[in-house]
Amino acid sequence: MTVHFPFQNSYSALPDSFFARVAPTPVSAPRLIKLNRPLAVQLGLDPDVLETPEGAEILAGKTVPDGADPIAMAYAGHQFGHFVPQLGDGRAILLGEVIDRDGLRRDIQLKGSGPTPFSRRGDGRAALGPVLREYIVSEAMYALGIPTTRSLAAVITGEHVIRETALPGAVLTRVASSHIRVGTFQFFAVRRDTDAIRRLADHVITRHYPDLLHAERPYHALLAGIVARQAELIARWLLVGFIHGVMNTDNSSISGETIDYGPCAFMDAYNPSQVFSSIDEMGRYAYANQPRIALWNLTRLAECLLPLFSDEQEKAVAEAQDILGAFSETFSAAYQAGLRKKVGLFTERDGDAALIQDLLDAMAKNQADFTLTFRKLGDAVGDNGADARAQFMDPAAFDEWAKRWRERTTLEPQTASERQSAMNAVNPIFIPRNHRVEAVIQAAVNDDNYAAFEELVKVLAKPFDEQPDYAAYADPPLPDQRVLQTFCGT
């Protein structure tokens, strides 16, 4: 049975300096763990064929499909503020690109498919745990309506990888609008290769911002477009309590998608300074720092684009600063609009931002669960808010705030039912709780048992829906279930 991928590759047609041609390293006994059948159909692939042993061999990198042009992409990056001039895909190989059913070009990439010229002494492999984590969280983000890379398949390789101990090896098939990053531009900027920067910028405009092709100043417009998408993306992260964990410039996507799910996590109790990543010792990428870091990353991108703006350095810098100046306003507008929706306000009035901030401050002081507080607030529209009160160590703190909130809602004509429905449409009840994700990983790694993984993925596919049979998945962790650190897994 033939596995057909209708590849139409554009990135591998760029100059050789953009990548290294390298094939995946075959594995011994690939076995399919999970295929994302709806995504396969969206990509124009046959899920029945992908679920065959032949399909598993392709998804594990054992067989390269016809039409693929496997490459490891070159990029640089600031990692925790320190610049590394050459990083690149050290354990990922881009098989090629397909045009999906909506006419959009999508990368199909294998993560954990073996060493590349960019591996820097690494084995190029992935352990099962990080593969399952990325599958779970990226698909949960998609269901939450947040721009993200997606997971087409997870395959166990039949081989072990050595980290602190021997672990089952696995490969994730990742789908993205592209894998071009801020760090991709930095790779050429540090080499003063202006022609390559222009070539890359033209490629990004054609692929991600085609409406800018005939702009009067296309490179200025490109930076403005990337700034706007990043500002809106980070606002969406904050609105669901998501912490990326490693917002390095090589993990910052030009397309505005969430990319590279390493030590990522969703908050339980609301804490603006929350950090989970084991490698973020200084809290650089804490929850509340994410907007500031996004702007810092975009500033690094702007520096790369300066030669395309003007031959006059001062003029180019001034123009870039003007474009970067829009980030804060765009982020704030998106974030505040999202918060108003979360508390059920249909209009914008003076005092709304302060009212909502007072709620967040009370949540932080009372260790209120971020997800459940907002979800249960919808119920409080029509009753005394007992479930929302229960999230607070001092329920009186909620009562004081709720009195002012209810007074504010009386200024709008919507019924309690209409308000609650609108709130439930933006406030999820189910998120990838860290303790649930870890339990799934342990069952898979220790017992080769994927039942919990399948169930969690099923529940998270409908994050806004009441699912009585799976109500326990909404519960925060008990004290002995709390996950205090998440790990990169490389």
Side-chain angles (χ1 to χ4, degrees):
M1 190 176 293
T2 302
V3 183
H4 177 63
F5 285 75
F7 287 118
Q8 296 186 27
N9 304 325
S10 62
Y11 200 85
S12 62
L14 292 169
D16 289 347
S17 58
F18 282 65
F19 51 79
R21 282 196 159 83
V22 56
T25 303
V27 296
S28 60
R31 172 167 57 92
L32 184 66
I33 298 168
K34 178 71 174 177
L35 177 71
N36 189 336
R37 291 180 63 91
L39 180 56
V41 172
Q42 176 67 18
L43 295 171
L45 307 175
D46 186 338
D48 291 333
V49 175
L50 287 175
E51 287 182 335
T52 64
E54 293 79 8
E57 289 192 355
I58 288 175
L59 297 169
K62 186 174 182 178
T63 303
V64 176
D66 291 343
D69 193 357
I71 58 173
M73 295 172 64
Y75 48 85
H78 276 89
Q79 299 194 316
F80 291 89
H82 302 287
F83 186 65
V84 182
Q86 180 168 301
L87 292 168
D89 289 330
R91 60 177 185 134
I93 292 176
L94 176 62
L95 287 182
E97 306 157 16
V98 299
I99 309 299
D100 72 12
R101 292 198 165 187
D102 293 329
L104 301 175
R105 186 177 296 270
R106 302 289 187 188
D107 281 1
I108 297 181
Q109 183 198 64
L110 302 181
K111 286 189 70 176
S113 52
T116 77
F118 305 113
S119 294
R120 295 186 297 165
R121 300 184 301 279
D123 62 10
R125 292 302 189 187
L128 177 59
V131 165
L132 295 183
R133 174 180 288 275
E134 178 155 354
Y135 192 107
I136 292 165
V137 181
S138 64
E139 286 304 301
M141 292 285 271
Y142 172 76
L144 288 165
I146 298 173
T148 178
T149 60
R150 298 196 61 193
S151 296
L152 175 62
V155 175
I156 197 163
T157 63
E159 301 174 355
H160 282 84
V161 298
I162 304 301
R163 297 300 181 254
E164 289 79 8
T165 184
L167 297 168
V171 176
L172 179 82
T173 305
R174 181 164 71 182
V175 176
S177 294
S178 83
H179 287 83
I180 302 169
R181 311 142 187 274
V182 171
T184 316
F185 282 89
Q186 290 181 295
F187 180 82
F188 296 109
V190 72
R191 290 160 177 78
R192 302 186 184 279
D193 190 342
T194 302
D195 289 341
I197 295 171
R198 181 176 286 105
R199 186 80 175 260
L200 181 60
D202 291 343
H203 179 85
V204 170
I205 290 171
T206 300
R207 183 161 181 174
H208 296 300
Y209 302 86
D211 54 323
L212 305 182
L213 281 169
H214 303 294
E216 183 178 345
R217 298 194 301 177
Y219 305 122
H220 295 71
L222 173 61
L223 179 60
I226 296 171
V227 166
R229 286 193 191 181
Q230 281 289 324
E232 291 167 1
L233 176 67
I234 305 305
R236 292 188 183 193
W237 286 2
L238 267 58
L239 291 167
V240 295
F242 177 74
I243 304 168
H244 184 280
V246 192
M247 286 181 67
N248 297 331
T249 56
D250 56 294
N251 295 338
S252 180
S253 168
I254 296 302
S255 69
E257 290 180 326
T258 313
I259 192 170
D260 288 330
Y261 292 91
C264 58
F266 283 73
M267 282 193 300
D268 294 310
Y270 176 64
N271 175 7
S273 60
Q274 182 69 64
V275 174
F276 286 101
S277 171
S278 63
I279 56 177
D280 191 4
E281 297 176 357
M282 305 302 292
R284 177 181 174 88
Y285 301 141
Y287 170 82
N289 284 351
Q290 293 178 126
R292 179 178 63 82
I293 292 298
L295 178 56
W296 192 92
N297 290 347
L298 290 165
T299 304
R300 306 289 78 76
L301 173 64
E303 291 167 352
C304 300
L305 295 175
L306 291 179
L308 307 187
F309 280 16
S310 173
D311 292 334
E312 300 176 31
Q313 178 77 2
E314 288 189 11
K315 179 183 178 185
V317 169
E319 291 170 348
Q321 288 176 334
D322 185 55
I323 294 169
L324 292 166
F327 177 90
S328 295
E329 183 177 345
T330 303
F331 166 78
S332 181
Y335 181 56
Q336 292 298 328
L339 285 173
R340 284 195 300 275
K341 289 180 180 178
K342 289 180 78 67
V343 301
L345 300 182
F346 289 81
T347 56
E348 181 180 359
R349 290 176 177 264
D350 290 343
D352 285 352
L355 176 68
I356 297 168
Q357 188 59 52
D358 286 347
L359 172 62
L360 292 171
D361 291 344
M363 288 168 60
K365 185 176 180 180
N366 285 269
Q367 298 180 26
D369 186 83
F370 183 87
T371 301
L372 289 185
T373 297
F374 283 107
R375 180 69 181 199
K376 299 305 182 182
L377 191 59
D379 300 333
V381 171
D383 61 26
N384 66 359
D387 289 341
R389 292 179 84 245
Q391 304 304 317
F392 290 72
M393 293 191 303
D394 176 13
F398 173 78
D399 294 339
E400 185 278 329
W401 180 85
K403 181 177 182 292
R404 292 187 289 137
W405 169 64
R406 290 191 177 96
E407 290 172 355
R408 168 65 179 84
T409 61
T410 63
L411 303 177
E412 298 177 340
Q414 283 77 16
T415 66
S417 177
E418 289 171 335
R419 197 176 306 279
Q420 182 177 10
S421 294
M423 293 170 72
N424 286 351
V426 298
N427 291 322
I429 188 168
F430 299 106
I431 57 166
R433 298 269 182 186
N434 299 323
H435 67 296
R436 289 284 183 180
V437 175
E438 289 301 322
V440 161
I441 290 172
Q442 292 307 310
V445 171
N446 296 333
D447 303 320
D448 196 32
N449 184 336
Y450 299 93
F453 167 73
E454 289 282 358
E455 188 165 277
L456 181 58
V457 169
K458 176 182 177 181
V459 171
L460 295 175
K462 297 180 179 180
F464 302 102
D465 295 354
E466 299 283 349
Q467 301 180 57
D469 291 344
Y470 304 107
Y473 280 88
D475 294 342
L478 298 172
D480 65 339
Q481 295 176 319
R482 289 176 184 158
V483 174
L484 302 179
Q485 281 193 325
T486 50
F487 298 89
C488 199
T490 55

